[in-house]
Amino acid sequence: MKIVLVTGGARAGKSRWAEGEATRLAGPAVTYVATAEPHDDEMMRRIAAHRAERPSGWATIEEPLDVPQAVTRASSGVVLVDCLTLWVSNLMLAGGEWVDSSEAEARVQAAVDALLEAAGARDGTLLVVTNEVGLGIVPANEAARAYRDLLGWTNARVAAQAARVVLMVAGLPVTVR
């Protein structure tokens, strides 16, 4: 499976661009893997807005943790995962508490390797949306620094396997590779 990584800052147009690319590649034959969980009212509204914006013919798999299995289960040749940012956060939570950094690192690394393996076992295109969180200030606490580091590692690992990397800046796509 050819991987296309779409990264950038918050609200930079990553999802919209990835959805447009998925439509261009496959029209209605897209499987959308959603990783968000509705923990509060604001997140519920965001999830509802994303659902409303997606084409009605797309298959949707809502999977906050086992994204590799969702990619394996996808029935279409184009799969869009939105997003790694929330997926890594979900993996770092255990019963609502942040897990130890070394445990989180092992869990995330194994999951990312499984995702890349799942993608390699399929034909088609895997579009992956993620945030770039490493360009700002150093977070003030250990959990936030561990998250930033693990998401940075995840993004780099997926980018290394990607055929194409697109950085969204102020709504504009910049091809990195």
Side-chain angles (χ1 to χ4, degrees):
M1 193 168 225
K2 175 181 142 186
I3 299 173
V4 178
L5 181 68
V6 185
T7 189
R11 311 303 286 176
K14 300 176 300 294
S15 295
R16 181 167 289 133
W17 186 90
E19 290 169 2
E21 184 70 0
T23 298
R24 186 185 72 74
L25 291 170
V30 174
T31 300
Y32 187 100
V33 178
T35 64
E37 292 186 286
H39 292 295
D40 57 37
D41 289 342
E42 186 267 341
M43 198 60 177
M44 286 186 232
R45 287 190 300 275
R46 284 179 181 254
I47 291 169
H50 270 276
R51 285 178 182 148
E53 292 170 0
R54 280 196 294 271
S56 60
W58 287 11
T60 299
I61 300 172
E62 294 187 352
E63 180 50 64
L65 295 171
D66 199 350
V67 172
Q69 181 60 24
V71 169
T72 299
R73 289 188 355 238
S75 58
S76 60
V78 173
V79 179
L80 194 165
V81 174
D82 196 355
C83 67
L84 293 185
T85 313
L86 291 172
W87 183 46
V88 168
S89 175
N90 297 341
L91 290 169
M92 291 182 73
L93 288 171
E97 297 291 327
W98 288 102
V99 297
D100 174 76
S101 293
S102 60
E103 181 184 338
E105 185 174 328
R107 183 184 299 172
V108 169
Q109 289 177 352
V112 170
D113 288 346
L115 174 61
L116 294 172
E117 185 177 321
R122 294 180 49 107
D123 291 328
T125 301
L126 175 63
L127 291 144
V128 182
V129 175
T130 190
N131 281 36
E132 175 52 62
V133 297
L135 297 174
I137 62 171
V138 174
N141 65 68
E142 180 183 356
R145 287 189 299 274
Y147 171 73
R148 178 215 45 205
D149 293 350
L150 279 173
L151 183 59
W153 178 89
T154 298
N155 290 346
R157 179 90 169 92
V158 174
Q161 299 298 314
R164 186 171 177 203
V165 177
V166 176
L167 172 65
M168 295 300 297
V169 179
L172 300 173
V174 178
T175 299
V176 177
R177 174 183 25 219

